[in-house]
């Protein structure tokens, strides 16, 4: 297991599949609780902020 201090997302309902996040001064790490030893997404705070901004955008109306 990584030495990060993982925290479960506050947006996660009770269940097995939740996003966990860990931070350091220079990086943000995300993993899925169903496979905590699996893939870990690592980003800088600037890149993570950009990801959140895109995810919060309204989808275009067709």
């Amino acid at each position: 297991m990584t030495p990060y201090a993982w925290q479960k997302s506050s947006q996660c309902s009770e269940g097995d599949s939740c996003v966990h996040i860990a931070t350091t001064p220079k990086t943000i790490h995300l993993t899925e609780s169903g496979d905590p030893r699996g893939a870990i997404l690592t980003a800088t705070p600037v890149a993570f902020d950009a990801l959140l901004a895109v995810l919060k955008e309204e989808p275009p109306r067709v």
Side-chain angles (χ1 to χ4, degrees), residues 17-43:
S17 293
C18 296
V19 173
H20 288 210
I21 188 168
T23 62
T24 69
K26 295 183 180 182
T27 57
I28 296 172
H29 309 277
L30 297 169
T31 192
E32 196 268 323
S33 62
D35 187 16
R37 294 177 189 233
I40 296 174
L41 172 68
T42 300

Side-chain angles (χ1 to χ4, degrees), residues 7-14 18-21:
Q7 295 179 322
K8 183 167 71 169
S9 168
S10 63
Q11 299 298 312
C12 182
S13 61
E14 295 302 316
C18 296
V19 173
H20 288 210
I21 188 168

